[in-house]
Amino acid sequence: MKKTNLIINILFGLAIVALFVLHFTSGKKANVESANSTQVQDLGEFTAAWIDMDTILNNYDMYFDMKSELEQSSKKKEAELTAKSKSFEKQARDFQDKVQKGLVTRSEAQQLQADLANKEQQLYQMRDEMRMQLAEEEQVKLRQIHNSIVEYLKEYNADKGYKLIFSSTFGGPVLYGHPAIDITKEVLEGLNKKYAETKKN
């Protein structure tokens, strides 16, 4: 009799535990499903568009202005380096001429040679620094162009309400974009208009 009561109590306990587990796990599933359905509802209708970035850059006035600024900076640095190189070459020729004619002592020749070696090293250092400066300027200007495009797209999309705007470039991840959702032309017009306004201010 005692054994029977014990078995009944154990079975009854297991049933309660099973009901408890089923009750709370089904509640969690319901919560997850309701959360997922809320997220889907929040997304609403999914819309997307794309722009041809190669076309944008090839026709964006800001890109051409910055490209021109980089070219001017490069020419200026190149002219400075060329002038210093020519000066160094003249000093080297003068040194060789003096040594060949015996116009300097051995110790003076050694000192002049050491000075020329230092100047040559400074020229190499100057060349490397100029290259680094130009590369940095180029990166900064490219980031400025990219930032101007992104910021404009935020303004542009405030009215349009696209969920995604893709960027298509030659060899990029977007292999095809339907012409109906190609917004390149109007984005380019808006970018150039906004850039023209900023140049006036």
Side-chain angles (χ1 to χ4, degrees):
M1 188 74 175
K2 286 181 181 179
K3 284 184 181 179
T4 307
N5 285 339
L6 182 62
I7 292 169
I8 290 170
N9 285 337
I10 290 171
L11 288 173
F12 185 67
L14 288 173
I16 291 171
V17 170
L19 286 170
F20 182 81
V21 169
L22 285 172
H23 173 73
F24 284 102
T25 54
S26 64
K28 283 181 184 175
K29 285 181 184 175
N31 288 339
V32 170
E33 286 174 7
S34 65
N36 287 340
S37 65
T38 304
Q39 288 174 358
V40 172
Q41 287 170 2
D42 288 345
L43 281 174
E45 184 184 352
F46 182 81
T47 54
W50 65 278
I51 58 171
D52 185 332
M53 191 57 77
D54 294 331
T55 301
I56 294 287
L57 291 179
N58 288 330
N59 296 279
Y60 188 16
D61 294 337
M62 182 182 185
Y63 175 77
F64 285 106
D65 285 351
M66 291 200 167
K67 186 179 177 184
S68 176
E69 287 172 16
L70 274 175
E71 286 171 356
Q72 288 174 8
S73 179
S74 177
K75 285 177 183 176
K76 185 179 176 183
K77 284 179 170 57
E78 191 178 335
E80 187 181 350
L81 187 62
T82 300
K84 289 193 180 286
S85 295
K86 284 181 179 178
S87 174
F88 170 77
E89 288 168 5
K90 184 180 181 302
Q91 289 174 2
R93 283 194 302 270
D94 290 346
F95 165 73
Q96 288 174 349
D97 187 53
K98 285 178 182 178
V99 169
Q100 286 171 359
K101 290 178 179 177
L103 301 176
V104 290
T105 64
R106 189 181 299 172
S107 62
E108 286 174 335
Q110 287 174 345
Q111 184 59 50
L112 285 169
Q113 192 172 13
D115 289 344
L116 282 170
N118 284 335
K119 286 179 180 177
E120 186 179 30
Q121 190 62 38
Q122 288 171 4
L123 268 177
Y124 289 139
Q125 188 177 348
M126 181 182 177
R127 181 199 62 191
D128 292 342
E129 285 175 359
M130 284 181 172
R131 285 178 179 171
M132 285 174 64
Q133 286 171 3
L134 282 171
E136 187 180 3
E137 283 177 32
E138 184 180 14
Q139 286 301 312
V140 168
K141 289 191 183 302
L142 285 173
R143 281 195 292 268
Q144 288 173 348
I145 292 165
H146 180 266
N147 184 65
S148 73
I149 294 170
V150 170
E151 290 302 313
Y152 175 74
L153 284 174
K154 287 178 185 176
E155 293 176 22
Y156 169 87
N157 200 43
D159 295 330
K160 303 292 181 180
Y162 293 115
K163 296 294 187 287
L164 279 176
I165 297 177
F166 294 97
S167 167
S168 173
T169 56
F170 180 75
V174 179
L175 299 177
Y176 173 75
H178 196 282
I181 55 170
D182 179 2
I183 57 172
T184 305
K185 186 179 178 183
E186 54 187 304
V187 167
L188 179 61
E189 287 172 358
L191 280 167
N192 281 331
K193 183 180 177 183
K194 186 175 181 183
Y195 179 61
E197 289 169 0
T198 58
K199 283 178 75 175
K200 288 177 185 175
N201 296 336

